[in-house]
Amino acid sequence: GAVVSQHPSRVICKSGTSVKIECRSLDFQATTMFWYRQFPKQSLMLMATSNEGSKATYEQGVEKDKFLINHASLTLSTLTVTSAHPEDSSFYICSAKAGEGTDTQYFGPGTRLTVL
Amino acid sequence: QKEVEQNSGPLSVPEGAIASLNCTYSDRGSQSFFWYRQYSGKSPELIMFIYSNGDKEDGRFTAQLNKASQYVSLLIRDSQPSDSATYLCAVNSGYSTLTFGKGTMLLVSP
């Protein structure tokens, strides 16, 4: 159980374009989803916490106007990287919490973004 | 600031041995503790979680928690080369978010 999917798994885009990444909980309803970024050989960095039907909470140093998060349903959260630049190239991973009574997070497979 | 510390490794063990991975955390109010495994280029995969002091076993994996010492560990018995990965310790301190350690790389040699 507790399967989380992400799409796309890999994306290459030109500098200045926007990229949308989808995160779906397939077999449970996720009131809370999380977005992480991981650079090569570095640890996970939490970018934001996304709650269904409300605005995302961004971690310090993460630009909310650049990384737009929408959590419109209990099974879908999206991250849009706007006006992407080469320094945004990274591994973006979402996770979902399977309900309010648990704090266990299940991770999606991740999206590797390369900005040329 | 909540911190989770792990030795970055690599921890090298021969196949069939017991691998012992350790983690300390700073927030004494932490309530739940998680171990994730991350293969190179992949996302983290949940191995175990533990909430109470003592040991919790699941197959070849045993998580150990000592809240007084603010210490949590993961033992992997009969280590296999396929266990070679980075192991992330994560701690929840009563809020929605998890604080992750930087991970310990485990190398199991045939």
Side-chain angles (χ1 to χ4, degrees):
Chain A
V3 179
V4 178
S5 70
Q6 264 184 261
H7 178 80
S9 58
R10 188 178 297 266
V11 58
I12 301 173
C13 69
K14 292 182 179 180
S15 185
T17 60
S18 295
V19 174
K20 180 185 282 189
I21 302 170
E22 291 187 349
C23 176
R24 293 183 185 272
S25 56
L26 298 185
D27 53 0
F28 65 99
Q29 293 186 328
T31 53
T32 306
M33 289 183 170
F34 306 86
W35 287 96
Y36 295 83
R37 181 168 54 180
Q38 188 175 37
F39 293 105
K41 299 190 186 303
Q42 304 220 353
S43 60
L44 288 171
M45 188 195 84
L46 178 65
M47 300 175 66
T49 301
S50 166
N51 289 296
E52 186 266 337
S54 63
K55 290 184 179 180
T57 302
Y58 290 82
E59 295 299 302
Q60 190 173 4
V62 178
E63 301 173 58
K64 62 181 180 181
D65 294 330
K66 180 170 182 62
F67 298 100
L68 301 179
I69 292 172
N70 183 279
H71 193 160
S73 78
L74 287 172
T75 59
L76 173 65
S77 176
T78 60
L79 167 69
T80 301
V81 183
T82 62
S83 186
H85 291 283
E87 57 266 30
D88 298 323
S89 298
S90 188
F91 192 39
Y92 291 86
I93 315 171
C94 73
S95 70
K97 217 170 57 135
E100 290 302 321
T102 176
D103 47 19
T104 304
Q105 291 183 27
Y106 297 93
F107 284 85
T111 297
R112 192 161 303 281
L113 170 64
T114 302
V115 185
L116 302 176
Chain B
Q1 184 173 349
K2 303 180 181 65
E3 292 183 348
V4 177
E5 300 287 340
Q6 293 181 258
N7 188 315
S8 61
L11 172 66
S12 296
V13 300
E15 184 174 358
I18 296 176
S20 177
L21 303 159
N22 305 315
C23 171
T24 59
Y25 57 95
S26 63
D27 186 355
R28 189 169 286 279
S30 298
Q31 299 174 358
S32 49
F33 308 85
F34 303 83
W35 282 100
Y36 288 85
R37 175 175 64 196
Q38 186 174 25
Y39 291 110
S40 181
K42 303 295 185 182
S43 67
E45 169 192 10
L46 180 67
I47 298 176
M48 294 187 68
F49 55 85
I50 185 168
Y51 298 147
S52 305
N53 275 329
D55 294 0
K56 179 181 179 183
E57 186 175 318
D58 183 1
R60 295 188 296 115
F61 300 98
T62 299
Q64 299 176 317
L65 175 61
N66 184 324
K67 289 186 178 180
S69 300
Q70 296 176 235
Y71 178 91
V72 58
S73 65
L74 179 70
L75 301 179
I76 306 175
R77 288 182 299 281
D78 188 24
S79 296
Q80 301 297 310
S82 58
D83 294 325
S84 297
T86 296
Y87 289 80
L88 304 173
C89 172
V91 175
N92 183 305
S93 300
Y95 301 98
S96 286
T97 58
L98 294 180
T99 301
F100 282 85
K102 294 186 177 181
T104 298
M105 180 183 293
L106 172 66
L107 297 176
V108 181
S109 53

